Amino acid sequence: MKTVGILGASNKKGRYARIAQEILMEKGYDVVPICIRDEDILGLKSYRSLDDVPRKIDTLTVYVSPRNMERHLDEIIRSDIRRVILNPGTESDSIRRQIQDSGKIVVEACTIVMLRTDRFNDS
């Protein structure tokens, strides 16, 4: 089973990060919420940063603005994450280039749409 990290995970109903987490969990993925505010999201322990996560994350789906992404960029670059999904509203040419230059696959797409159309594992 692949592990998916959600950067910007949220307990707030209706937030896209929460909807994505619900769908990922329904589909059987090992989900790792990453959130600076909440300690528990949908019954899963949440971590404040990628450096705090004790297991390997295969895909990271991002739900934070480019401005807030800056504080996580070094962690993403030094991690062994294979793929980073930049959801709508998180895109930044500079951030995309830096992540790609570290050897990771970067996808600019909506995780929810990818999951609902069975394209999440295609890239």
Side-chain angles (χ1 to χ4, degrees):
M1 176 187 330
K2 293 188 177 182
T3 302
V4 180
I6 302 175
L7 182 60
S10 178
N11 264 322
K12 294 180 182 174
K13 290 184 178 180
R15 293 280 179 138
Y16 292 123
R18 182 182 167 113
I19 295 167
Q21 181 172 340
E22 290 169 346
I23 297 169
L24 286 162
M25 291 170 65
E26 286 170 14
K27 291 187 176 276
Y29 287 92
D30 177 21
V31 178
V32 179
I34 302 159
C35 174
I36 60 171
R37 286 181 299 280
D38 300 313
E39 293 182 12
D40 178 277
I41 299 175
L42 293 173
L44 300 178
K45 177 179 174 38
S46 179
Y47 298 89
R48 295 184 60 79
S49 74
L50 281 168
D51 288 341
D52 296 335
V53 177
R55 59 192 186 274
K56 181 183 183 301
I57 292 174
D58 181 65
T59 295
L60 179 70
T61 183
V62 178
Y63 288 95
V64 297
S65 70
R67 180 176 47 92
N68 289 330
M69 176 84 158
E70 290 292 333
R71 76 174 69 136
H72 300 282
L73 192 55
D74 287 340
E75 294 175 341
I76 293 169
I77 289 170
R78 34 171 215 275
S79 75
D80 57 359
I81 292 168
R82 181 184 68 81
R83 174 177 68 160
V84 176
I85 301 171
L86 299 176
N87 286 275
T90 68
E91 309 97 333
S92 159
D93 289 339
S94 170
I95 288 172
R96 179 183 39 76
R97 267 193 306 277
Q98 289 177 69
I99 295 171
Q100 283 175 326
D101 289 349
S102 74
K104 294 165 185 23
I105 298 166
V106 177
V107 179
E108 291 182 344
C110 176
T111 297
I112 296 167
V113 171
M114 293 171 73
L115 287 162
R116 289 188 173 154
T117 59
D118 294 323
R119 293 189 336 225
F120 188 76
N121 290 319
D122 290 352
S123 49

mmCIF file of all heavy atoms in Angstrom, residues 51-100:
data_model
loop_
_atom_site.group_PDB
_atom_site.id
_atom_site.type_symbol
_atom_site.label_atom_id
_atom_site.label_comp_id
_atom_site.label_asym_id
_atom_site.label_seq_id
_atom_site.Cartn_x
_atom_site.Cartn_y
_atom_site.Cartn_z
ATOM 1 N N ASP A 51 9.441 16.420 8.424
ATOM 2 C CA ASP A 51 10.548 15.865 9.199
ATOM 3 C C ASP A 51 10.068 15.050 10.394
ATOM 4 O O ASP A 51 10.802 14.198 10.895
ATOM 5 C CB ASP A 51 11.478 16.984 9.681
ATOM 6 C CG ASP A 51 12.310 17.579 8.558
ATOM 7 O OD1 ASP A 51 12.459 16.933 7.494
ATOM 8 O OD2 ASP A 51 12.815 18.703 8.737
ATOM 9 N N ASP A 52 8.860 15.297 10.866
ATOM 10 C CA ASP A 52 8.321 14.583 12.021
ATOM 11 C C ASP A 52 7.698 13.230 11.652
ATOM 12 O O ASP A 52 7.435 12.421 12.534
ATOM 13 C CB ASP A 52 7.255 15.418 12.726
ATOM 14 C CG ASP A 52 7.809 16.696 13.325
ATOM 15 O OD1 ASP A 52 9.025 16.738 13.619
ATOM 16 O OD2 ASP A 52 7.037 17.653 13.497
ATOM 17 N N VAL A 53 7.449 13.004 10.372
ATOM 18 C CA VAL A 53 6.775 11.771 9.931
ATOM 19 C C VAL A 53 7.758 10.604 10.015
ATOM 20 O O VAL A 53 8.832 10.654 9.409
ATOM 21 C CB VAL A 53 6.234 11.921 8.491
ATOM 22 C CG1 VAL A 53 5.596 10.628 8.013
ATOM 23 C CG2 VAL A 53 5.241 13.078 8.415
ATOM 24 N N PRO A 54 7.404 9.536 10.768
ATOM 25 C CA PRO A 54 8.347 8.444 10.996
ATOM 26 C C PRO A 54 8.412 7.396 9.881
ATOM 27 O O PRO A 54 9.155 6.434 9.997
ATOM 28 C CB PRO A 54 7.817 7.811 12.289
ATOM 29 C CG PRO A 54 6.354 8.041 12.232
ATOM 30 C CD PRO A 54 6.183 9.387 11.562
ATOM 31 N N ARG A 55 7.642 7.556 8.803
ATOM 32 C CA ARG A 55 7.682 6.566 7.722
ATOM 33 C C ARG A 55 7.780 7.257 6.371
ATOM 34 O O ARG A 55 7.553 8.459 6.259
ATOM 35 C CB ARG A 55 6.472 5.644 7.782
ATOM 36 C CG ARG A 55 5.136 6.323 7.672
ATOM 37 C CD ARG A 55 4.039 5.307 8.048
ATOM 38 N NE ARG A 55 2.705 5.778 7.863
ATOM 39 C CZ ARG A 55 2.011 6.476 8.761
ATOM 40 N NH1 ARG A 55 2.566 6.798 9.911
ATOM 41 N NH2 ARG A 55 0.773 6.837 8.520
ATOM 42 N N LYS A 56 8.121 6.481 5.376
ATOM 43 C CA LYS A 56 8.318 7.008 4.020
ATOM 44 C C LYS A 56 6.975 7.386 3.405
ATOM 45 O O LYS A 56 6.009 6.647 3.489
ATOM 46 C CB LYS A 56 9.001 5.957 3.146
ATOM 47 C CG LYS A 56 9.277 6.428 1.736
ATOM 48 C CD LYS A 56 9.879 5.298 0.912
ATOM 49 C CE LYS A 56 10.243 5.726 -0.488
ATOM 50 N NZ LYS A 56 9.167 6.244 -1.287
ATOM 51 N N ILE A 57 6.941 8.559 2.784
ATOM 52 C CA ILE A 57 5.763 9.010 2.043
ATOM 53 C C ILE A 57 6.087 8.865 0.565
ATOM 54 O O ILE A 57 7.123 9.351 0.097
ATOM 55 C CB ILE A 57 5.430 10.476 2.388
ATOM 56 C CG1 ILE A 57 4.955 10.580 3.838
ATOM 57 C CG2 ILE A 57 4.392 11.036 1.433
ATOM 58 C CD1 ILE A 57 4.729 11.998 4.322
ATOM 59 N N ASP A 58 5.209 8.187 -0.169
ATOM 60 C CA ASP A 58 5.411 8.004 -1.609
ATOM 61 C C ASP A 58 4.938 9.240 -2.377
ATOM 62 O O ASP A 58 5.638 9.756 -3.235
ATOM 63 C CB ASP A 58 4.656 6.767 -2.086
ATOM 64 C CG ASP A 58 4.855 6.533 -3.569
ATOM 65 O OD1 ASP A 58 6.003 6.263 -3.964
ATOM 66 O OD2 ASP A 58 3.875 6.642 -4.327
ATOM 67 N N THR A 59 3.715 9.702 -2.071
ATOM 68 C CA THR A 59 3.125 10.865 -2.743
ATOM 69 C C THR A 59 2.740 11.898 -1.690
ATOM 70 O O THR A 59 2.168 11.553 -0.665
ATOM 71 C CB THR A 59 1.864 10.458 -3.537
ATOM 72 O OG1 THR A 59 2.246 9.585 -4.595
ATOM 73 C CG2 THR A 59 1.154 11.665 -4.126
ATOM 74 N N LEU A 60 3.045 13.152 -1.983
ATOM 75 C CA LEU A 60 2.625 14.261 -1.123
ATOM 76 C C LEU A 60 1.649 15.108 -1.922
ATOM 77 O O LEU A 60 1.974 15.573 -3.017
ATOM 78 C CB LEU A 60 3.827 15.110 -0.715
ATOM 79 C CG LEU A 60 3.505 16.311 0.175
ATOM 80 C CD1 LEU A 60 3.082 15.831 1.570
ATOM 81 C CD2 LEU A 60 4.706 17.242 0.268
ATOM 82 N N THR A 61 0.445 15.298 -1.400
ATOM 83 C CA THR A 61 -0.522 16.174 -2.043
ATOM 84 C C THR A 61 -0.591 17.459 -1.227
ATOM 85 O O THR A 61 -0.703 17.430 -0.003
ATOM 86 C CB THR A 61 -1.896 15.489 -2.234
ATOM 87 O OG1 THR A 61 -2.766 16.380 -2.942
ATOM 88 C CG2 THR A 61 -2.518 15.029 -0.946
ATOM 89 N N VAL A 62 -0.473 18.595 -1.915
ATOM 90 C CA VAL A 62 -0.276 19.881 -1.252
ATOM 91 C C VAL A 62 -1.544 20.726 -1.283
ATOM 92 O O VAL A 62 -2.145 20.916 -2.337
ATOM 93 C CB VAL A 62 0.889 20.659 -1.918
ATOM 94 C CG1 VAL A 62 1.070 22.020 -1.281
ATOM 95 C CG2 VAL A 62 2.179 19.845 -1.852
ATOM 96 N N TYR A 63 -1.918 21.229 -0.099
ATOM 97 C CA TYR A 63 -3.082 22.107 0.067
ATOM 98 C C TYR A 63 -2.722 23.360 0.853
ATOM 99 O O TYR A 63 -3.508 23.825 1.656
ATOM 100 C CB TYR A 63 -4.212 21.356 0.771
ATOM 101 C CG TYR A 63 -4.865 20.320 -0.093
ATOM 102 C CD1 TYR A 63 -4.454 18.997 -0.043
ATOM 103 C CD2 TYR A 63 -5.886 20.665 -0.971
ATOM 104 C CE1 TYR A 63 -5.053 18.048 -0.851
ATOM 105 C CE2 TYR A 63 -6.488 19.722 -1.779
ATOM 106 C CZ TYR A 63 -6.067 18.417 -1.708
ATOM 107 O OH TYR A 63 -6.653 17.473 -2.523
ATOM 108 N N VAL A 64 -1.535 23.893 0.644
ATOM 109 C CA VAL A 64 -1.143 25.157 1.267
ATOM 110 C C VAL A 64 -0.736 26.127 0.168
ATOM 111 O O VAL A 64 -0.271 25.716 -0.895
ATOM 112 C CB VAL A 64 -0.005 25.001 2.307
ATOM 113 C CG1 VAL A 64 -0.443 24.122 3.459
ATOM 114 C CG2 VAL A 64 1.261 24.461 1.677
ATOM 115 N N SER A 65 -0.881 27.404 0.430
ATOM 116 C CA SER A 65 -0.539 28.426 -0.557
ATOM 117 C C SER A 65 0.970 28.417 -0.813
ATOM 118 O O SER A 65 1.752 27.961 0.036
ATOM 119 C CB SER A 65 -0.960 29.802 -0.048
ATOM 120 O OG SER A 65 -0.129 30.183 1.031
ATOM 121 N N PRO A 66 1.384 28.941 -1.966
ATOM 122 C CA PRO A 66 2.825 29.027 -2.229
ATOM 123 C C PRO A 66 3.580 29.767 -1.118
ATOM 124 O O PRO A 66 4.690 29.381 -0.760
ATOM 125 C CB PRO A 66 2.895 29.786 -3.557
ATOM 126 C CG PRO A 66 1.621 29.447 -4.246
ATOM 127 C CD PRO A 66 0.596 29.378 -3.132
ATOM 128 N N ARG A 67 2.970 30.806 -0.563
ATOM 129 C CA ARG A 67 3.619 31.553 0.533
ATOM 130 C C ARG A 67 3.866 30.642 1.738
ATOM 131 O O ARG A 67 4.944 30.641 2.325
ATOM 132 C CB ARG A 67 2.739 32.736 0.924
ATOM 133 C CG ARG A 67 3.296 33.590 2.038
ATOM 134 C CD ARG A 67 2.419 34.796 2.308
ATOM 135 N NE ARG A 67 1.007 34.481 2.413
ATOM 136 C CZ ARG A 67 0.371 34.197 3.547
ATOM 137 N NH1 ARG A 67 1.028 34.209 4.676
ATOM 138 N NH2 ARG A 67 -0.916 33.929 3.551
ATOM 139 N N ASN A 68 2.867 29.837 2.103
ATOM 140 C CA ASN A 68 3.029 28.924 3.241
ATOM 141 C C ASN A 68 3.866 27.697 2.881
ATOM 142 O O ASN A 68 4.435 27.052 3.760
ATOM 143 C CB ASN A 68 1.667 28.494 3.771
ATOM 144 C CG ASN A 68 0.955 29.614 4.476
ATOM 145 O OD1 ASN A 68 1.577 30.497 5.058
ATOM 146 N ND2 ASN A 68 -0.360 29.610 4.413
ATOM 147 N N MET A 69 3.951 27.385 1.618
ATOM 148 C CA MET A 69 4.736 26.241 1.157
ATOM 149 C C MET A 69 6.229 26.475 1.356
ATOM 150 O O MET A 69 6.985 25.532 1.553
ATOM 151 C CB MET A 69 4.422 26.023 -0.321
ATOM 152 C CG MET A 69 5.220 24.954 -0.973
ATOM 153 S SD MET A 69 4.468 23.379 -0.673
ATOM 154 C CE MET A 69 5.173 22.498 -2.024
ATOM 155 N N GLU A 70 6.640 27.733 1.341
ATOM 156 C CA GLU A 70 8.063 28.062 1.477
ATOM 157 C C GLU A 70 8.684 27.422 2.720
ATOM 158 O O GLU A 70 9.809 26.950 2.673
ATOM 159 C CB GLU A 70 8.272 29.585 1.519
ATOM 160 C CG GLU A 70 8.011 30.277 0.202
ATOM 161 C CD GLU A 70 9.018 29.944 -0.876
ATOM 162 O OE1 GLU A 70 10.186 29.616 -0.555
ATOM 163 O OE2 GLU A 70 8.635 30.010 -2.054
ATOM 164 N N ARG A 71 7.933 27.384 3.824
ATOM 165 C CA ARG A 71 8.506 26.832 5.061
ATOM 166 C C ARG A 71 8.685 25.323 5.001
ATOM 167 O O ARG A 71 9.417 24.742 5.796
ATOM 168 C CB ARG A 71 7.656 27.220 6.273
ATOM 169 C CG ARG A 71 6.363 26.437 6.409
ATOM 170 C CD ARG A 71 5.653 26.766 7.681
ATOM 171 N NE ARG A 71 5.153 28.110 7.600
ATOM 172 C CZ ARG A 71 3.956 28.495 7.984
ATOM 173 N NH1 ARG A 71 3.146 27.643 8.528
ATOM 174 N NH2 ARG A 71 3.562 29.729 7.847
ATOM 175 N N HIS A 72 8.026 24.662 4.044
ATOM 176 C CA HIS A 72 8.122 23.210 3.917
ATOM 177 C C HIS A 72 9.017 22.783 2.750
ATOM 178 O O HIS A 72 9.311 21.598 2.607
ATOM 179 C CB HIS A 72 6.731 22.612 3.694
ATOM 180 C CG HIS A 72 5.780 22.901 4.804
ATOM 181 N ND1 HIS A 72 5.809 22.222 6.003
ATOM 182 C CD2 HIS A 72 4.774 23.798 4.897
ATOM 183 C CE1 HIS A 72 4.854 22.687 6.789
ATOM 184 N NE2 HIS A 72 4.211 23.647 6.145
ATOM 185 N N LEU A 73 9.421 23.720 1.927
ATOM 186 C CA LEU A 73 10.124 23.397 0.691
ATOM 187 C C LEU A 73 11.410 22.616 0.927
ATOM 188 O O LEU A 73 11.657 21.604 0.259
ATOM 189 C CB LEU A 73 10.391 24.669 -0.109
ATOM 190 C CG LEU A 73 10.866 24.471 -1.535
ATOM 191 C CD1 LEU A 73 9.914 23.605 -2.334
ATOM 192 C CD2 LEU A 73 11.038 25.828 -2.202
ATOM 193 N N ASP A 74 12.237 23.038 1.871
ATOM 194 C CA ASP A 74 13.487 22.313 2.145
ATOM 195 C C ASP A 74 13.216 20.879 2.596
ATOM 196 O O ASP A 74 13.933 19.951 2.201
ATOM 197 C CB ASP A 74 14.324 23.040 3.203
ATOM 198 C CG ASP A 74 14.977 24.298 2.659
ATOM 199 O OD1 ASP A 74 15.113 24.419 1.423
ATOM 200 O OD2 ASP A 74 15.333 25.174 3.468
ATOM 201 N N GLU A 75 12.185 20.696 3.414
ATOM 202 C CA GLU A 75 11.825 19.355 3.866
ATOM 203 C C GLU A 75 11.425 18.477 2.677
ATOM 204 O O GLU A 75 11.795 17.307 2.607
ATOM 205 C CB GLU A 75 10.653 19.396 4.851
ATOM 206 C CG GLU A 75 10.949 20.077 6.148
ATOM 207 C CD GLU A 75 9.709 20.185 7.024
ATOM 208 O OE1 GLU A 75 8.574 20.067 6.512
ATOM 209 O OE2 GLU A 75 9.878 20.381 8.229
ATOM 210 N N ILE A 76 10.635 19.039 1.774
ATOM 211 C CA ILE A 76 10.194 18.285 0.597
ATOM 212 C C ILE A 76 11.396 17.912 -0.263
ATOM 213 O O ILE A 76 11.544 16.755 -0.681
ATOM 214 C CB ILE A 76 9.171 19.104 -0.222
ATOM 215 C CG1 ILE A 76 7.871 19.277 0.576
ATOM 216 C CG2 ILE A 76 8.883 18.428 -1.566
ATOM 217 C CD1 ILE A 76 6.910 20.284 -0.019
ATOM 218 N N ILE A 77 12.271 18.851 -0.493
ATOM 219 C CA ILE A 77 13.430 18.618 -1.356
ATOM 220 C C ILE A 77 14.349 17.555 -0.782
ATOM 221 O O ILE A 77 14.831 16.678 -1.510
ATOM 222 C CB ILE A 77 14.173 19.949 -1.620
ATOM 223 C CG1 ILE A 77 13.314 20.815 -2.553
ATOM 224 C CG2 ILE A 77 15.561 19.713 -2.192
ATOM 225 C CD1 ILE A 77 13.785 22.238 -2.710
ATOM 226 N N ARG A 78 14.583 17.556 0.529
ATOM 227 C CA ARG A 78 15.506 16.562 1.095
ATOM 228 C C ARG A 78 14.840 15.216 1.372
ATOM 229 O O ARG A 78 15.514 14.237 1.641
ATOM 230 C CB ARG A 78 16.216 17.029 2.333
ATOM 231 C CG ARG A 78 15.828 17.804 3.281
ATOM 232 C CD ARG A 78 16.683 17.940 4.534
ATOM 233 N NE ARG A 78 15.762 18.097 5.616
ATOM 234 C CZ ARG A 78 15.227 19.252 5.981
ATOM 235 N NH1 ARG A 78 15.573 20.350 5.380
ATOM 236 N NH2 ARG A 78 14.375 19.296 6.954
ATOM 237 N N SER A 79 13.541 15.147 1.259
ATOM 238 C CA SER A 79 12.830 13.898 1.538
ATOM 239 C C SER A 79 13.000 12.902 0.389
ATOM 240 O O SER A 79 13.495 13.250 -0.687
ATOM 241 C CB SER A 79 11.331 14.180 1.727
ATOM 242 O OG SER A 79 10.734 14.442 0.464
ATOM 243 N N ASP A 80 12.565 11.676 0.631
ATOM 244 C CA ASP A 80 12.585 10.663 -0.432
ATOM 245 C C ASP A 80 11.199 10.485 -1.057
ATOM 246 O O ASP A 80 10.895 9.436 -1.621
ATOM 247 C CB ASP A 80 13.148 9.339 0.079
ATOM 248 C CG ASP A 80 12.387 8.781 1.267
ATOM 249 O OD1 ASP A 80 11.419 9.427 1.733
ATOM 250 O OD2 ASP A 80 12.738 7.686 1.742
ATOM 251 N N ILE A 81 10.369 11.507 -0.970
ATOM 252 C CA ILE A 81 9.059 11.502 -1.619
ATOM 253 C C ILE A 81 9.279 11.373 -3.124
ATOM 254 O O ILE A 81 10.147 12.029 -3.693
ATOM 255 C CB ILE A 81 8.285 12.804 -1.289
ATOM 256 C CG1 ILE A 81 7.905 12.815 0.193
ATOM 257 C CG2 ILE A 81 7.056 12.955 -2.179
ATOM 258 C CD1 ILE A 81 7.393 14.152 0.683
ATOM 259 N N ARG A 82 8.485 10.521 -3.776
ATOM 260 C CA ARG A 82 8.616 10.280 -5.207
ATOM 261 C C ARG A 82 7.842 11.297 -6.039
ATOM 262 O O ARG A 82 8.300 11.746 -7.071
ATOM 263 C CB ARG A 82 8.109 8.867 -5.530
ATOM 264 C CG ARG A 82 8.202 8.473 -6.992
ATOM 265 C CD ARG A 82 7.593 7.107 -7.261
ATOM 266 N NE ARG A 82 6.146 7.090 -7.092
ATOM 267 C CZ ARG A 82 5.270 7.515 -8.009
ATOM 268 N NH1 ARG A 82 5.683 7.982 -9.152
ATOM 269 N NH2 ARG A 82 3.978 7.452 -7.774
ATOM 270 N N ARG A 83 6.623 11.661 -5.567
ATOM 271 C CA ARG A 83 5.733 12.515 -6.365
ATOM 272 C C ARG A 83 5.078 13.563 -5.471
ATOM 273 O O ARG A 83 4.663 13.273 -4.354
ATOM 274 C CB ARG A 83 4.658 11.642 -7.007
ATOM 275 C CG ARG A 83 3.598 12.409 -7.748
ATOM 276 C CD ARG A 83 2.598 11.494 -8.432
ATOM 277 N NE ARG A 83 1.780 10.781 -7.464
ATOM 278 C CZ ARG A 83 0.611 10.219 -7.738
ATOM 279 N NH1 ARG A 83 0.135 10.259 -8.960
ATOM 280 N NH2 ARG A 83 -0.067 9.591 -6.812
ATOM 281 N N VAL A 84 4.959 14.783 -6.007
ATOM 282 C CA VAL A 84 4.300 15.876 -5.305
ATOM 283 C C VAL A 84 3.171 16.380 -6.203
ATOM 284 O O VAL A 84 3.400 16.695 -7.372
ATOM 285 C CB VAL A 84 5.277 17.029 -4.987
ATOM 286 C CG1 VAL A 84 4.549 18.194 -4.338
ATOM 287 C CG2 VAL A 84 6.422 16.538 -4.100
ATOM 288 N N ILE A 85 1.955 16.425 -5.653
ATOM 289 C CA ILE A 85 0.802 16.939 -6.384
ATOM 290 C C ILE A 85 0.504 18.342 -5.868
ATOM 291 O O ILE A 85 0.234 18.534 -4.681
ATOM 292 C CB ILE A 85 -0.435 16.036 -6.202
ATOM 293 C CG1 ILE A 85 -0.141 14.622 -6.698
ATOM 294 C CG2 ILE A 85 -1.640 16.642 -6.930
ATOM 295 C CD1 ILE A 85 -1.231 13.611 -6.371
ATOM 296 N N LEU A 86 0.573 19.318 -6.777
ATOM 297 C CA LEU A 86 0.231 20.695 -6.446
ATOM 298 C C LEU A 86 -1.213 20.918 -6.873
ATOM 299 O O LEU A 86 -1.511 20.983 -8.065
ATOM 300 C CB LEU A 86 1.177 21.669 -7.150
ATOM 301 C CG LEU A 86 2.658 21.551 -6.787
ATOM 302 C CD1 LEU A 86 3.495 22.503 -7.626
ATOM 303 C CD2 LEU A 86 2.878 21.799 -5.301
ATOM 304 N N ASN A 87 -2.097 20.996 -5.904
ATOM 305 C CA ASN A 87 -3.514 21.191 -6.170
ATOM 306 C C ASN A 87 -3.790 22.631 -6.586
ATOM 307 O O ASN A 87 -2.974 23.523 -6.351
ATOM 308 C CB ASN A 87 -4.320 20.834 -4.910
ATOM 309 C CG ASN A 87 -4.365 19.340 -4.697
ATOM 310 O OD1 ASN A 87 -5.214 18.659 -5.259
ATOM 311 N ND2 ASN A 87 -3.434 18.815 -3.907
ATOM 312 N N PRO A 88 -4.946 22.888 -7.216
ATOM 313 C CA PRO A 88 -5.278 24.259 -7.626
ATOM 314 C C PRO A 88 -5.128 25.244 -6.460
ATOM 315 O O PRO A 88 -5.572 24.975 -5.339
ATOM 316 C CB PRO A 88 -6.739 24.142 -8.074
ATOM 317 C CG PRO A 88 -6.850 22.730 -8.566
ATOM 318 C CD PRO A 88 -5.993 21.925 -7.608
ATOM 319 N N GLY A 89 -4.472 26.351 -6.744
ATOM 320 C CA GLY A 89 -4.229 27.361 -5.720
ATOM 321 C C GLY A 89 -2.882 27.219 -5.037
ATOM 322 O O GLY A 89 -2.474 28.090 -4.276
ATOM 323 N N THR A 90 -2.184 26.114 -5.294
ATOM 324 C CA THR A 90 -0.879 25.898 -4.667
ATOM 325 C C THR A 90 0.265 26.036 -5.658
ATOM 326 O O THR A 90 1.420 25.957 -5.269
ATOM 327 C CB THR A 90 -0.800 24.497 -4.018
ATOM 328 O OG1 THR A 90 -0.809 23.500 -5.046
ATOM 329 C CG2 THR A 90 -1.945 24.261 -3.065
ATOM 330 N N GLU A 91 -0.078 26.242 -6.929
ATOM 331 C CA GLU A 91 0.933 26.246 -7.977
ATOM 332 C C GLU A 91 1.854 27.461 -7.875
ATOM 333 O O GLU A 91 1.428 28.545 -7.528
ATOM 334 C CB GLU A 91 0.291 26.269 -9.374
ATOM 335 C CG GLU A 91 -0.763 25.222 -9.600
ATOM 336 C CD GLU A 91 -2.171 25.766 -9.369
ATOM 337 O OE1 GLU A 91 -2.343 26.723 -8.590
ATOM 338 O OE2 GLU A 91 -3.104 25.225 -9.967
ATOM 339 N N SER A 92 3.119 27.206 -8.206
ATOM 340 C CA SER A 92 4.129 28.249 -8.263
ATOM 341 C C SER A 92 5.237 27.730 -9.175
ATOM 342 O O SER A 92 5.762 26.635 -8.937
ATOM 343 C CB SER A 92 4.686 28.535 -6.874
ATOM 344 O OG SER A 92 5.943 29.157 -6.942
ATOM 345 N N ASP A 93 5.575 28.491 -10.204
ATOM 346 C CA ASP A 93 6.635 28.060 -11.122
ATOM 347 C C ASP A 93 7.947 27.825 -10.386
ATOM 348 O O ASP A 93 8.635 26.842 -10.633
ATOM 349 C CB ASP A 93 6.839 29.081 -12.238
ATOM 350 C CG ASP A 93 5.691 29.098 -13.233
ATOM 351 O OD1 ASP A 93 4.953 28.096 -13.318
ATOM 352 O OD2 ASP A 93 5.532 30.121 -13.921
ATOM 353 N N SER A 94 8.287 28.721 -9.479
ATOM 354 C CA SER A 94 9.537 28.605 -8.735
ATOM 355 C C SER A 94 9.551 27.340 -7.869
ATOM 356 O O SER A 94 10.527 26.585 -7.864
ATOM 357 C CB SER A 94 9.738 29.842 -7.859
ATOM 358 O OG SER A 94 10.811 29.660 -6.981
ATOM 359 N N ILE A 95 8.477 27.117 -7.135
ATOM 360 C CA ILE A 95 8.401 25.936 -6.266
ATOM 361 C C ILE A 95 8.410 24.669 -7.110
ATOM 362 O O ILE A 95 9.114 23.707 -6.802
ATOM 363 C CB ILE A 95 7.162 26.022 -5.352
ATOM 364 C CG1 ILE A 95 7.385 27.099 -4.291
ATOM 365 C CG2 ILE A 95 6.859 24.674 -4.715
ATOM 366 C CD1 ILE A 95 6.179 27.430 -3.454
ATOM 367 N N ARG A 96 7.628 24.654 -8.186
ATOM 368 C CA ARG A 96 7.591 23.473 -9.067
ATOM 369 C C ARG A 96 8.990 23.150 -9.570
ATOM 370 O O ARG A 96 9.427 22.004 -9.523
ATOM 371 C CB ARG A 96 6.638 23.702 -10.233
ATOM 372 C CG ARG A 96 6.589 22.501 -11.197
ATOM 373 C CD ARG A 96 5.708 22.734 -12.412
ATOM 374 N NE ARG A 96 5.769 24.061 -12.994
ATOM 375 C CZ ARG A 96 6.781 24.528 -13.757
ATOM 376 N NH1 ARG A 96 7.810 23.771 -14.013
ATOM 377 N NH2 ARG A 96 6.732 25.753 -14.247
ATOM 378 N N ARG A 97 9.714 24.151 -10.052
ATOM 379 C CA ARG A 97 11.066 23.936 -10.584
ATOM 380 C C ARG A 97 12.008 23.393 -9.513
ATOM 381 O O ARG A 97 12.785 22.462 -9.767
ATOM 382 C CB ARG A 97 11.634 25.232 -11.145
ATOM 383 C CG ARG A 97 11.393 25.414 -12.621
ATOM 384 C CD ARG A 97 12.237 26.536 -13.206
ATOM 385 N NE ARG A 97 12.093 27.798 -12.503
ATOM 386 C CZ ARG A 97 11.110 28.684 -12.707
ATOM 387 N NH1 ARG A 97 10.186 28.433 -13.596
ATOM 388 N NH2 ARG A 97 11.064 29.802 -12.023
ATOM 389 N N GLN A 98 11.946 23.970 -8.315
ATOM 390 C CA GLN A 98 12.842 23.521 -7.243
ATOM 391 C C GLN A 98 12.571 22.063 -6.866
ATOM 392 O O GLN A 98 13.500 21.290 -6.637
ATOM 393 C CB GLN A 98 12.684 24.412 -6.015
ATOM 394 C CG GLN A 98 13.248 25.807 -6.223
ATOM 395 C CD GLN A 98 13.016 26.685 -5.020
ATOM 396 O OE1 GLN A 98 13.630 26.454 -3.968
ATOM 397 N NE2 GLN A 98 12.144 27.666 -5.148
ATOM 398 N N ILE A 99 11.294 21.695 -6.819
ATOM 399 C CA ILE A 99 10.962 20.310 -6.479
ATOM 400 C C ILE A 99 11.386 19.372 -7.609
ATOM 401 O O ILE A 99 11.978 18.314 -7.362
ATOM 402 C CB ILE A 99 9.458 20.172 -6.157
ATOM 403 C CG1 ILE A 99 9.114 20.971 -4.893
ATOM 404 C CG2 ILE A 99 9.084 18.695 -5.978
ATOM 405 C CD1 ILE A 99 7.625 21.088 -4.614
ATOM 406 N N GLN A 100 11.124 19.765 -8.859
ATOM 407 C CA GLN A 100 11.540 18.942 -9.996
ATOM 408 C C GLN A 100 13.057 18.803 -10.047
ATOM 409 O O GLN A 100 13.570 17.717 -10.333
ATOM 410 C CB GLN A 100 11.035 19.549 -11.307
ATOM 411 C CG GLN A 100 9.574 19.303 -11.549
ATOM 412 C CD GLN A 100 9.064 20.005 -12.797
ATOM 413 O OE1 GLN A 100 9.514 21.101 -13.138
ATOM 414 N NE2 GLN A 100 8.109 19.387 -13.456
#
